[in-house]
Amino acid sequence: MVIATGTLLLALPVASETGQPVKIVDALFTATSATCVTGLITVDTPTTYSLFGEIVIMALIQTGGLGFMTLSTLVALLLGKRITLKERLVMQEALNQLTVEGVVRLSRYVLFFTFLTEGLGALLLGLRFSRDMPPGQAFYFGVFHAVSAFCNAGFSLFSANLMDYRGDLLVNLVITALIILGGLGFSVVADVYTKRSWQRLSLHSKIVIRTTMWLIIIGTLMFLALEYTNSKSLAPLPLGEKVLASYFQAVTPRTAGFNTLNIGDLRPVTLLLIIILMFIGASPGSTGGGIKTSTFTTIAVAVWSIIQGKCDIEIFGRRLPRGTVLKALAVASVSLLLVVTVTGIMLVTEQEEMEIILFEVVSAFGTVGLSAGLTPQLTVAGKLLITATMYSGRVGPLTLAFAIAQRLGRQGIKHYPEEGVIIG
Amino acid sequence: MVIATGTLLLALPVASETGQPVKIVDALFTATSATCVTGLITVDTPTTYSLFGEIVIMALIQTGGLGFMTLSTLVALLLGKRITLKERLVMQEALNQLTVEGVVRLSRYVLFFTFLTEGLGALLLGLRFSRDMPPGQAFYFGVFHAVSAFCNAGFSLFSANLMDYRGDLLVNLVITALIILGGLGFSVVADVYTKRSWQRLSLHSKIVIRTTMWLIIIGTLMFLALEYTNSKSLAPLPLGEKVLASYFQAVTPRTAGFNTLNIGDLRPVTLLLIIILMFIGASPGSTGGGIKTSTFTTIAVAVWSIIQGKCDIEIFGRRLPRGTVLKALAVASVSLLLVVTVTGIMLVTEQEEMEIILFEVVSAFGTVGLSAGLTPQLTVAGKLLITATMYSGRVGPLTLAFAIAQRLGRQGIKHYPEEGVIIG
Ligand SMILES: [K+]
Ligand SMILES: [K+]
């Protein structure tokens, strides 16, 4: 319904820069991309849409981002741990407790946190942009980009995205801070706010924060190493700008979709790095997509434990429940299957190398919105596939969580005898 | 030591077709490839090596195949189930029971089964080949190809591999039967031989047989569908030959490496299908590589169970132990990490598309030996990487199993408190 309203509004003549109404299919694509905070575009935002159109887009991003964040936080709180029998009993209490007032209160906290963060970001960005344009426009640009960054949407009012601010420390830091805060998930932010001590944080918060930190550090260093001598990207830049651009490009695939370098100019191996980062994505209960940081770390820790021959999967002095590991395995496997299947089909429908197709598919799956250049040349079948992948990537993990939770309890308690199988 | 001896013998002038000794590096590569039953070649076997050289190669394949089969069967029997505490206790008994005589007896069974199967295959192939060449040569060719097929080596005395026998029903059926029997693993064959009833088979045997069957059926149908209209592969062939070639090409990636069609002429999507089949590979305790059929099915069943919200991972009326699922997760994840990492490095060292590189890396990892055309043009770094990957793919899963088992029991019994994490 939000998408339908958005499409209608964007198709009005008043939403268009030229007065000539935007094509309905492009209006639909833009509305969907904005509401799903993906950021893929078929038409250039600033030159196609008027001020009115841009504000509609911003409203759609904000609605989509907030709605998804609240909804996914709720689902995460309600169903996140609902796997083991013991937890299922605890959960039923929680379900009884979480009444309409509870949801309203949660939504109010989410709203407050969102507007506070976006407001601060908008103010800083506005001050910076006012050096390049009139103050009114500067603060409007500040608000738009703050909303787009916090909601991990990746829409920009600059036709060159943020490439012109590649070397600007303030813009880089503010945008990445908004992306990271939006991508941590509300429950983590709330946990940090209430506990104010690393030791007392929940295991989930510790994993999310530590994973996010290491992904950014390792991503930055690898990007820097791989692109250092690439004359089309980092080579011509001074050292500080090299580091800053590497940092920005390491943050943005998970899952903001802004860019300060041209993605199409990067080396194949760097595209592979970005594909991996996009696949991992942001954290649960956030505006971002992907399989999620907690899923990735759960699998990594499980694999490391089993290689060491440990029966327990341990991290930060806690044991991960069996259900958590299995759920992570399910989410990662289904996601991989989806990405590989869509890539396979698109190898038939599109005339392009596998790497470029894979990049586009993972970008759509993680609602990242980065493109190595394929989006504009997609065939009709390709457009439909990418749209379906975007949608699956957006609602998939949530639906999966719901489905798992709903079927729990329905099964009988019959246990089959156990028997081992030879692996590897 | 086997490889060193083989290298020396192959470097002798008498091993060369021309009398001019084969280069030591090529002799080493051939000896390694034969002993590891990979089948990648830098020089053409029939035109480079003399009869003596070819027999050395066959002996290396037989030694490598038998050694690996016996060793991996032993490891599988000893360590396959050695994860849970209960099983660990059972295992210690088994370890006490399995004495030197036990190993000798097992080896004798393996030897008997191998020579019986290869002998039968050689006889049938020899009869067929005698229509095209003198009887002596025909039976020698029969023995060589039977050994190469059963050991999943993929070496051929025909420069065009088996492409000339693409439409020959007998050669296709005998070779694929040898490949499949060699790839099932000795424990499964022994189980079928002693039980002679599907119901009484072990869970492991059921999973391996059913998975192998479905992978072949689905692989054949998908290959047929994807290549049906490709004028470079299936399109010019009559229908029967289309099906036969599809069947052969569906069997061979797991992990024989023979081919009756030119792999480089296949469509990109078909290469992706073959990459997936090569990654899955053969079954534990066999001459084949890959993550193994049982690993693949364990993960698939686990994912399907968790999506249905089941706490137990059930298949064929049995519950899979937690340790089995975790071990499968470990093997698959480490393998995926290896393949992606090597592909990433080779994207830097080689000037080739990602798909071709990925194909080569997975082929080496699974000791398959198929090539989409990259092997001859590899850089030195690329050759070393592929060699290292072959080696890792060959000894990796076994080493992993050993490592896991050895560290079991060393750990303390301290259990951390359990705490859930939000996934997806
Ligand atoms: K995005
Ligand atoms: K092989």
Side-chain angles (χ1 to χ4, degrees):
Chain A
M1 214 195 60
V2 174
I3 296 178
T5 315
T7 307
L8 281 179
L9 288 174
L10 288 178
L12 291 176
V14 68
S16 160
E17 183 77 14
T18 58
Q20 181 75 18
V22 176
K23 268 190 241 153
I24 192 89
V25 62
D26 287 326
L28 174 66
F29 196 98
T30 308
T32 312
S33 182
T35 311
C36 293
V37 292
T38 304
L40 287 173
I41 44 175
T42 50
V43 292
D44 182 47
T45 312
T47 57
T48 310
Y49 293 106
S50 65
L51 180 64
F52 173 77
E54 289 168 11
I55 291 175
V56 169
I57 291 175
M58 186 165 68
L60 290 174
I61 294 174
Q62 188 69 276
T63 312
L66 271 176
F68 192 74
M69 196 167 185
T70 312
L71 191 66
S72 59
T73 303
L74 260 175
V75 171
L77 286 177
L78 287 179
L79 311 174
K81 302 168 161 188
R82 214 188 156 193
I83 294 293
T84 66
L85 189 70
K86 194 189 118 207
E87 288 177 330
R88 224 152 78 210
L89 296 172
V90 177
M91 219 46 246
Q92 288 179 346
E93 291 177 53
L95 269 170
N96 291 338
Q97 282 176 357
L98 220 115
T99 52
V100 177
E101 299 97 79
V103 175
V104 171
R105 196 162 351 114
L106 174 70
S107 307
R108 215 179 315 139
Y109 286 136
V110 171
L111 267 181
F112 179 74
F113 163 60
T114 302
F115 287 136
L116 185 74
T117 317
E118 286 178 355
L120 207 64
L123 189 70
L124 289 169
L125 288 177
L127 287 172
R128 172 61 188 84
F129 289 148
S130 65
R131 296 220 309 254
D132 304 327
M133 51 185 88
Q137 197 194 356
F139 280 95
Y140 162 63
F141 269 53
V143 171
F144 188 96
H145 285 93
V147 169
S148 184
F150 182 80
C151 292
N152 276 263
F155 273 87
S156 174
L157 293 179
F158 302 105
S159 295
N161 207 297
L162 296 176
M163 287 196 247
D164 293 338
Y165 292 93
R166 187 181 56 212
D168 190 283
L169 193 64
L170 182 75
V171 171
N172 273 271
L173 291 185
V174 171
I175 293 276
T176 53
L178 286 167
I179 292 172
I180 294 168
L181 279 173
L184 282 177
F186 180 73
S187 60
V188 174
V189 175
D191 199 29
V192 171
Y193 181 77
T194 48
K195 305 278 182 59
R196 291 160 197 267
S197 142
W198 174 258
Q199 276 311 317
R200 287 164 57 216
L201 285 184
S202 74
L203 179 61
H204 177 75
S205 301
K206 283 183 189 166
I207 289 181
V208 162
I209 292 170
R210 196 55 73 85
T211 307
T212 303
M213 192 186 84
W214 280 112
L215 283 176
I216 292 173
I217 293 174
I218 294 171
T220 304
L221 293 178
M222 285 190 69
F223 192 96
L224 188 63
L226 295 175
E227 291 291 321
Y228 201 87
T229 57
N230 184 349
S231 59
K232 287 186 194 160
S233 64
L234 292 187
L237 308 180
L239 183 64
E241 218 168 300
K242 278 193 177 82
V243 175
L244 199 60
S246 299
Y247 164 70
F248 193 90
Q249 253 65 229
V251 169
T252 193
R254 306 180 30 260
T255 67
F258 284 116
N259 56 299
T260 62
L261 293 172
N262 187 1
I263 302 296
D265 288 339
L266 302 180
R267 290 182 168 144
V269 61
T270 316
L271 293 185
L272 184 62
L273 172 70
I274 295 182
I275 288 173
I276 295 169
L277 290 174
M278 294 195 298
F279 188 73
I280 298 172
S283 303
S286 77
T287 53
I291 64 168
K292 307 295 182 306
T293 52
S294 54
T295 309
F296 171 73
T297 299
T298 297
I299 292 179
V301 171
V303 169
W304 186 238
S305 296
I306 199 73
I307 287 176
Q308 292 182 292
K310 285 187 192 162
C311 298
D312 288 350
I313 315 295
E314 293 160 359
I315 182 170
F316 294 128
R318 288 285 181 281
R319 188 154 44 95
L320 287 174
R322 182 192 175 192
T324 302
V325 176
L326 290 179
K327 202 172 167 190
L329 173 64
V331 168
S333 301
V334 171
S335 302
L336 194 61
L337 184 68
L338 175 74
V339 165
V340 171
T341 307
V342 176
T343 302
I345 301 173
M346 286 185 68
L347 277 175
V348 179
T349 64
E350 314 297 310
Q351 299 299 318
E352 192 45 271
E353 281 179 35
M354 194 176 78
E355 176 157 38
I356 306 295
I357 292 177
L358 184 64
F359 191 95
E360 213 75 15
V361 172
V362 176
S363 177
F365 162 75
T367 65
V368 179
L370 291 176
S371 174
L374 184 61
T375 317
Q377 334 156 8
L378 282 176
T379 61
V380 175
K383 273 182 190 160
L384 291 176
L385 278 165
I386 288 290
T387 310
T389 309
M390 270 198 260
Y391 188 76
S392 312
R394 179 84 296 191
V395 304
L398 272 186
T399 313
L400 202 60
F402 263 124
I404 291 173
Q406 284 201 328
R407 295 200 189 159
L408 267 176
R410 259 204 237 146
Q411 50 181 321
I413 319 176
K414 183 186 171 197
H415 286 305
Y416 287 113
E418 200 173 82
E419 184 174 345
V421 165
I422 307 166
I423 298 294
Chain B
M1 214 196 59
V2 174
I3 296 179
T5 315
T7 307
L8 283 178
L9 289 174
L10 288 178
L12 292 176
V14 68
S16 161
E17 183 77 13
T18 57
Q20 180 76 19
V22 175
K23 266 190 242 153
I24 191 89
V25 60
D26 287 324
L28 174 66
F29 195 96
T30 309
T32 312
S33 183
T35 312
C36 292
V37 293
T38 304
L40 286 172
I41 43 174
T42 50
V43 292
D44 182 48
T45 312
T47 57
T48 310
Y49 294 106
S50 65
L51 180 65
F52 173 77
E54 290 166 12
I55 291 174
V56 169
I57 291 175
M58 185 166 67
L60 290 174
I61 293 173
Q62 188 68 276
T63 313
L66 271 176
F68 192 74
M69 196 168 184
T70 313
L71 192 66
S72 58
T73 303
L74 261 176
V75 172
L77 286 178
L78 287 179
L79 312 175
K81 303 167 157 188
R82 214 188 155 194
I83 294 295
T84 65
L85 189 69
K86 193 190 119 206
E87 289 176 331
R88 224 152 76 209
L89 296 172
V90 178
M91 219 44 247
Q92 288 179 344
E93 292 176 52
L95 269 171
N96 292 339
Q97 283 175 357
L98 221 116
T99 51
V100 176
E101 300 97 79
V103 174
V104 170
R105 197 167 345 119
L106 175 71
S107 307
R108 212 176 321 139
Y109 286 137
V110 171
L111 266 181
F112 179 74
F113 164 60
T114 301
F115 287 136
L116 185 75
T117 317
E118 287 177 355
L120 207 63
L123 189 70
L124 290 169
L125 288 176
L127 287 172
R128 172 62 188 86
F129 289 149
S130 64
R131 296 218 312 252
D132 304 328
M133 52 185 85
Q137 197 194 355
F139 280 95
Y140 162 62
F141 270 53
V143 171
F144 188 96
H145 286 92
V147 169
S148 183
F150 182 80
C151 292
N152 276 264
F155 273 86
S156 174
L157 293 179
F158 302 105
S159 296
N161 208 295
L162 296 176
M163 286 196 248
D164 292 339
Y165 292 93
R166 188 181 55 211
D168 190 285
L169 193 62
L170 183 75
V171 171
N172 272 270
L173 291 185
V174 171
I175 293 276
T176 52
L178 287 166
I179 292 173
I180 294 168
L181 279 173
L184 282 176
F186 180 72
S187 61
V188 174
V189 175
D191 198 29
V192 171
Y193 181 77
T194 49
K195 306 275 183 63
R196 291 161 196 262
S197 143
W198 173 259
Q199 276 311 316
R200 287 163 59 215
L201 286 183
S202 74
L203 179 62
H204 177 75
S205 301
K206 284 184 190 166
I207 289 181
V208 162
I209 293 171
R210 197 55 73 84
T211 307
T212 303
M213 192 186 84
W214 280 113
L215 283 176
I216 293 174
I217 293 175
I218 294 171
T220 304
L221 292 177
M222 285 190 70
F223 192 96
L224 189 63
L226 295 175
E227 291 291 320
Y228 200 88
T229 57
N230 185 349
S231 59
K232 287 186 197 160
S233 63
L234 293 187
L237 309 181
L239 183 64
E241 219 168 298
K242 278 193 177 84
V243 175
L244 200 60
S246 299
Y247 164 69
F248 193 91
Q249 253 65 228
V251 169
T252 195
R254 309 181 26 259
T255 65
F258 285 115
N259 55 299
T260 62
L261 292 172
N262 187 0
I263 302 297
D265 288 339
L266 301 181
R267 291 184 167 140
V269 61
T270 316
L271 293 185
L272 184 61
L273 172 69
I274 295 182
I275 288 173
I276 294 169
L277 290 174
M278 294 194 298
F279 188 73
I280 297 172
S283 304
S286 78
T287 53
I291 63 167
K292 306 295 181 309
T293 52
S294 54
T295 309
F296 172 72
T297 299
T298 298
I299 291 179
V301 172
V303 168
W304 185 238
S305 295
I306 199 76
I307 286 175
Q308 293 182 290
K310 285 187 190 161
C311 298
D312 288 349
I313 314 296
E314 292 159 0
I315 182 170
F316 295 128
R318 287 285 181 282
R319 190 154 43 95
L320 287 173
R322 182 191 175 193
T324 302
V325 177
L326 290 180
K327 203 172 164 190
L329 172 65
V331 169
S333 302
V334 170
S335 303
L336 194 62
L337 183 67
L338 174 73
V339 165
V340 170
T341 307
V342 175
T343 303
I345 300 173
M346 286 186 66
L347 277 175
V348 180
T349 64
E350 312 299 310
Q351 298 299 317
E352 193 42 273
E353 282 179 32
M354 192 176 78
E355 176 157 38
I356 306 296
I357 292 177
L358 183 65
F359 191 96
E360 213 75 15
V361 171
V362 176
S363 177
F365 162 75
T367 66
V368 179
L370 290 177
S371 174
L374 183 61
T375 316
Q377 333 156 7
L378 283 176
T379 61
V380 175
K383 274 183 189 158
L384 291 175
L385 278 165
I386 289 291
T387 310
T389 309
M390 271 197 261
Y391 188 77
S392 311
R394 179 83 295 192
V395 304
L398 273 187
T399 313
L400 202 61
F402 264 124
I404 291 173
Q406 286 203 326
R407 294 197 191 164
L408 266 177
R410 258 204 239 146
Q411 49 181 321
I413 320 176
K414 183 186 172 197
H415 286 305
Y416 286 115
E418 200 173 82
E419 184 174 345
V421 165
I422 306 167
I423 297 295

